[in-house]
Amino acid sequence: MSALETTAAISGNVGTIGYGLAAIGPGIGVGIIFGNGVQAIARQPEAAGLIRQNMLLGFAVVEALALIGFVAPLIFK
């Protein structure tokens, strides 16, 4: 199988592969957000409400990026 045939075989799944790679960033971002949030709450339990609010806001922004990565290949077909 030549390189050209291999490229032709995977060209139908480029959007799927792209989204899979794009989902890595938000996954790492969510882990960092909640990991650091739990550490911050453990250090300052009296600020738990504010920290939790900021964690959820950051989570929403990161997940919005993941959804944009999901929709973009569908729009730009």
Side-chain angles (χ1 to χ4, degrees):
M1 184 181 262
S2 70
L4 184 58
E5 290 173 358
T6 304
T7 304
I10 64 169
S11 66
N13 297 325
V14 172
T16 306
I17 292 169
Y19 178 66
L21 293 173
I24 293 172
I28 292 170
V30 168
I32 290 171
I33 288 169
F34 284 104
N36 289 338
V38 168
Q39 285 182 2
I41 291 172
R43 290 180 183 172
Q44 288 188 322
E46 67 275 2
L50 180 62
I51 294 168
R52 186 176 302 115
Q53 179 182 3
N54 288 333
M55 275 185 359
L56 292 176
L57 180 64
F59 172 75
V61 170
V62 169
E63 284 301 313
L65 293 175
L67 291 175
I68 290 170
F70 178 66
V71 173
L74 300 174
I75 293 174
F76 298 118
K77 265 190 174 178

